[in-house]
Amino acid sequence: EAGVAQSPRYKIIEKRQSVAFWCNPISGHATLYWYQQILGQGPKLLIQFQNNGVVDDSQLPKDRFSAERLKGVDSTLKIQPAKLEDSAVYLCASSLVAQGEQYFGPGTRLTVT
Amino acid sequence: DAKTTQPPSMDCAEGRAANLPCNHSTISGNEYVYWYRQIHSQGPQYIIHGLKNNETNEMASLIITEDRKSSTLILPHATLRDTAVYYCIVRDRDDKIIFGKGTRLHILP
């Protein structure tokens, strides 16, 4: 069974630029999550999708972050414009059912200079 | 905020059992104890979870005290590949996961 795929694995941008991350969850998993992990801390949930609907985006900085899952399968997370404090690893996870065991992708390491 | 307290780091000799403690003194009756681990440069990996009974799977055992205020994750025969950050999480089945800082486990050859 293929795992959660993410791309790119690494990205370096300057502040005020925009960036997008892509995630393809495990086939058949209805729930998709995006997490932000700052160095030395545990992952923090940014947004949760159930199929193509948003379940929880309470910790998503909506002035600069956006995410979509248009067809209920893969998803993109965008940051526009980026700030220095957005430097982190962005993790995508999926689960078969809402709040079930989550399977994580390898993450995208973003560096904002 | 995370509802658990874990030591920031631990060492364990290769081949020995690694016992990782977790305190969750404010756990409520419908909250489960979950364990995930994160190997360097990878995403977190689910290990095990339990409500009040002890649980065992192919990766680990979870021992929960009778009052449910603490638990221990046991890796029976630790290998170098078990070096990782281990997260203990308390949550209701319908709640989101809140990760703390976890325990950094070093397996010593």
Side-chain angles (χ1 to χ4, degrees), chain A residues 13-89:
Chain A
I13 61 172
E14 295 181 352
K15 60 184 179 184
R16 292 187 290 273
Q17 286 186 323
S18 63
V19 65
F21 313 126
W22 174 81
C23 172
N24 191 25
I26 292 173
S27 178
H29 280 197
T31 312
L32 185 147
Y33 314 78
W34 283 102
Y35 288 84
Q36 179 193 57
Q37 186 172 24
I38 293 172
L39 188 64
Q41 299 182 18
K44 180 183 83 172
L45 180 68
L46 292 175
I47 189 168
Q48 176 184 339
F49 291 94
Q50 181 68 21
N51 296 308
N52 61 349
V54 175
V55 173
D56 183 350
D57 63 356
S58 57
Q59 298 196 90
L60 186 74
K62 298 179 187 65
D63 58 334
R64 299 183 300 105
F65 286 63
S66 65
E68 60 184 14
R69 193 185 184 200
L70 291 176
K71 296 182 180 178
V73 181
D74 56 353
S75 174
T76 56
L77 175 70
K78 298 178 182 178
I79 307 175
Q80 182 179 15
K83 293 185 175 181
L84 295 176
E85 58 261 36
D86 298 332
S87 293
V89 175

Side-chain angles (χ1 to χ4, degrees), chain B residues 37-40 81-86 103-106:
Chain B
R37 74 179 182 183
Q38 188 171 21
I39 295 169
H40 182 62
R81 287 191 299 270
D82 292 321
T83 293
V85 177
Y86 286 77
T103 295
R104 187 171 297 277
L105 177 66
H106 298 99

Side-chain angles (χ1 to χ4, degrees), chain B residues 78-92:
Chain B
T79 71
L80 296 177
R81 287 191 299 270
D82 292 321
T83 293
V85 177
Y86 286 77
Y87 297 99
C88 171
I89 297 153
V90 163
R91 59 179 277 239
D92 185 284

Side-chain angles (χ1 to χ4, degrees), chain A residues 37 42-43 99 101-102 104-105, chain B residues 36 38 44 49 91 93 95 100:
Chain A
Q37 186 172 24
Q99 312 305 0
E101 283 71 50
Q102 296 183 22
F104 284 79
Chain B
Y36 279 76
Q38 188 171 21
H49 74 280
R91 59 179 277 239
R93 289 300 288 265
D95 285 346

